[in-house]
Amino acid sequence: SAFHAMFSVGGVIASLAGAGAASAGMSPAAGMGAVGTVGIVTALASARGLLPTAPTSAATADAEGSAATADAEGSAATADAEGEGAPAGKPRSAHGRIWVLAALALMVMLSEGAANDWSALHLKDILGAPASTAAVGYGTYAAAMTTGRLLADRVSGRLGPMAVLRYGAVTAAVGITIVAVSPWIWAAFAGWALFGLGLSGCVPQLFSAAGRADPSAAGANVSRVAGLGYLGMLSGPAVIGWLTHLVALNHALLLLTLLCAIAAAAAGVLRTGSDRTREMARGSH
């Protein structure tokens, strides 16, 4: 989750840069041109730091493969003992769970994508905020998300990934509902902040669960969940845009309330052995 926080740090920086450009009267074309140039230079400069792709010798590959198989079998046995992994001999169950995780990732990241593209426009077009103020709206969302992602690993370690997804999605649902119904700019800022804070830990929990579901196919499973999730991030702005032809933008955002509520209700898919232990302890009290 902390690793994923750097994505949000970039969003905060971009929001501040966009607000500054709008205040200075810079045209969107000039701003996007500057961002594109910085992106190209950064990519070229970073290329030298990429890991090498030299082929591994057959003997080394065999040894690594044997070690990976042993690790996978050991991890699977440990996960089964704790109730955290897909039971051995039930690959179909694990496969189905992966697609449930992918569907949840799509819902959560569709919500993220909608915030990325519509938060500033909501403040500007619905609430009448100046362009420079509206740009900071996304920054508020991204800053809250960054803070949440820096803390989510600790919260997950203490309360479990299921709690992070469930209560995070509920918090996000409350936040976006405030955004949709509030007539005040300050309340909209608070709503976007709650939305970002709530969503912050959800995606990392889903990615991690995909990797743990079947250690022998961790890479493929994470790719499936991440792939469908990023499809949601790309389609989110378009879905909200289509809805604005039918209803006002703030009412269209209520779709995100529904998606977050579904994610909260389905959080049990992340239940682990530790969660069951905590639930039994609470029941005994």
Side-chain angles (χ1 to χ4, degrees):
S1 183
F3 180 84
H4 209 57
M6 297 308 296
F7 175 89
S8 302
V9 171
V12 174
I13 295 172
S15 173
L16 295 175
S23 298
M26 181 183 292
S27 71
M32 294 300 100
V35 169
T37 301
V38 171
I40 292 171
V41 171
T42 301
L44 292 175
S46 301
R48 295 183 177 182
L50 296 176
L51 294 174
T53 56
T56 309
S57 68
T60 304
D62 288 342
E64 290 176 349
S66 300
T69 301
D71 286 345
E73 291 173 350
S75 299
T78 302
D80 286 343
E82 296 176 354
E84 296 184 9
K90 292 187 177 181
R92 291 183 181 179
S93 176
H95 187 72
R97 184 167 180 257
I98 290 302
W99 289 112
V100 172
L101 294 172
L104 291 174
L106 185 147
M107 295 180 194
V108 172
M109 295 182 72
L110 188 152
S111 300
E112 289 189 25
N116 292 347
D117 281 34
W118 289 102
S119 54
L121 286 173
H122 164 262
L123 286 160
K124 183 175 182 293
D125 295 345
I126 300 298
L127 300 182
S132 56
T133 301
V136 178
Y138 174 72
T140 302
Y141 158 85
M145 178 167 277
T146 302
T147 301
R149 283 177 171 163
L150 291 173
L151 298 174
D153 288 331
R154 295 181 183 179
V155 177
S156 178
R158 184 170 183 177
L159 302 179
M162 182 182 69
V164 173
L165 177 59
R166 175 164 293 163
Y167 297 115
V170 168
T171 301
V174 171
I176 198 62
T177 301
I178 292 174
V179 170
V181 303
S182 175
W184 303 296
I185 293 176
W186 65 266
F189 272 98
W192 284 118
L194 277 177
F195 192 55
L197 184 65
L199 290 180
S200 61
C202 296
V203 169
Q205 305 311 315
L206 295 170
F207 286 3
S208 296
R212 292 194 303 264
D214 181 3
S216 64
N221 287 336
V222 172
S223 295
R224 292 185 181 106
V225 174
L228 202 58
Y230 279 102
L231 176 63
M233 179 170 281
L234 291 173
S235 63
V239 170
I240 297 298
W242 177 79
L243 285 175
T244 59
H245 293 291
L246 305 176
V247 297
L249 172 57
N250 56 323
H251 296 152
L253 294 175
L254 290 172
L255 171 65
L256 309 184
T257 301
L258 175 62
L259 295 179
C260 290
I262 294 173
V269 71
L270 297 183
R271 183 177 280 108
T272 64
S274 299
D275 291 318
R276 284 188 281 271
T277 301
R278 278 189 286 266
E279 289 169 1
M280 291 174 64
R282 285 196 295 267
S284 64
H285 291 300

